[in-house]
Amino acid sequence: MDMGRESRWEKDAMTVEIVFALVTAAVLAGVIFAVAWALVLVLDLSGSAERGVLVAGALLGAVAGVWRLVRVLLRFDEQRRMGH
């Protein structure tokens, strides 16, 4: 096997890690948006207040999702480079 090429196991590990990162990022973003939506329902908000809370929830969810995705992939890359 060539030293410069990744083994099948390494490719599979990368694929699993990418899917894990995507799924956990989507779940985190969804949970944050759901909390914002629940807040709107519990506080019985309407109009611009409702829209503001939902937009803030969507933005926070998106930022948290991207943060989670990047964090997981960077951690995996660091461990891969260390040989773990």
Side-chain angles (χ1 to χ4, degrees), residues 34-78:
V35 168
W37 194 358
L39 195 62
V40 166
L41 294 175
V42 167
L43 297 178
D44 197 26
L45 299 176
S46 63
S48 62
E50 175 186 14
R51 190 173 316 135
V53 170
L54 291 178
V55 167
L59 287 174
L60 285 173
V63 168
V66 169
W67 171 78
R68 174 69 179 163
L69 180 69
V70 170
R71 185 172 164 248
V72 168
L73 293 178
L74 286 177
R75 185 179 60 208
F76 174 73
D77 185 53
E78 180 181 314

